[in-house]
Amino acid sequence: DAGVTQSPTHLIKTRGQQVTLRCSPKSGHDTVSWYQQALGQGPQFIFQYYEEEERQRGNFPDRFSGHQYPNYSSELNVNALLLGDSALYLCASSFYLGRIAKNIQYFGAGTRLSVL
Amino acid sequence: AQSVTQLGSHVSVSEGALVLLRCNYSSSVPPYLFWYVQYPNQGLQLLLKYTSAATLVKGINGFEAEFKKSETSFHLTKPSAHMSDAAEYFCAVSEEGGSEKLVFGKGTKLTVNP
């Protein structure tokens, strides 16, 4: 059973460019969350997708957008890249059970984005 | 708003010694609490979780954590450190069930000396 897979593993972009990161959730999972982990920091929540809609969003600008497909895979798009966007981007998947949920989020290995 | 404070960005122990990693949280509602471990160049792996059942939670690799509501703490311990425990450890809080967003601490890097 494959876990959470992310692609690419590494990416180098220049300021102003746009980037798309991809995530395939663990089998059986229907919810995908994205996190940004800057060097030396803990992950910060960007947003969460469920049923192809953004369900929750953290404190990130509109330059960060996402999408979820019917097969539950997801993309994170970042426009007008800034140097400060350089980070490890982590995708996590889970199975949403509503208010009684006690499930956990499983993380992928991440995509390391460097903005020059 | 929820927040997590991990005391000590770096902790160094000798192999065989007790591991204690500290985590204090702030939450306006009963929290769900998690400890994750991150090895170099890898994603996060769940060590253990507290979901309002037993206050002493046992996880993988011999780790355990105790939820203390009066102290708003969820410290991670392991009786005897192993070289393979060297990694970065993150404490996280979630308001509901773990499917909601996780708020992480800044992490504690554990070094194990031979």
Side-chain angles (χ1 to χ4, degrees), chain A residues 10 31 33 35 37 40-45 48 55-58 88 90 94-110 112, chain B residues 2 6 9 32 34 36 38 40-46 48-49 51-53 88 90-91 94-107:
Chain A
H10 294 86
T31 302
S33 301
Y35 293 81
Q37 187 180 15
Q41 301 293 318
Q44 283 196 292
F45 177 78
Q48 182 181 81
R55 184 164 163 263
Q56 269 193 307
R57 189 178 182 92
L88 179 67
L90 295 165
S94 56
F95 179 56
Y96 181 65
L97 295 174
R99 294 185 63 83
I100 62 171
K102 294 183 180 179
N103 53 302
I104 63 170
Q105 295 183 30
Y106 291 82
F107 283 80
R112 186 163 298 281
Chain B
Q2 299 162 304
Q6 291 185 242
S9 57
Y32 291 89
F34 305 81
Y36 281 87
Q38 186 175 37
N41 301 314
Q42 294 188 27
L44 301 175
Q45 180 184 4
L46 181 73
L48 49 81
K49 60 177 178 176
T51 55
S52 75
E88 187 143 26
F90 293 93
C91 181
S94 169
E95 283 190 346
E96 290 187 36
S99 155
E100 305 297 326
K101 70 176 185 181
L102 292 171
V103 175
F104 285 88
K106 291 188 175 182

Side-chain angles (χ1 to χ4, degrees), chain B residues 8-21 37-40 63 80-89 107-114:
Chain B
S9 57
H10 289 83
V11 170
S12 182
V13 301
S14 298
E15 192 173 18
L18 172 71
V19 175
L20 171 60
L21 304 181
V37 61
Q38 186 175 37
Y39 297 100
F63 285 93
S80 176
H82 192 272
M83 297 295 290
S84 61
D85 294 328
E88 187 143 26
Y89 292 79
T108 297
K109 186 173 181 179
L110 176 66
T111 301
V112 182
N113 302 306

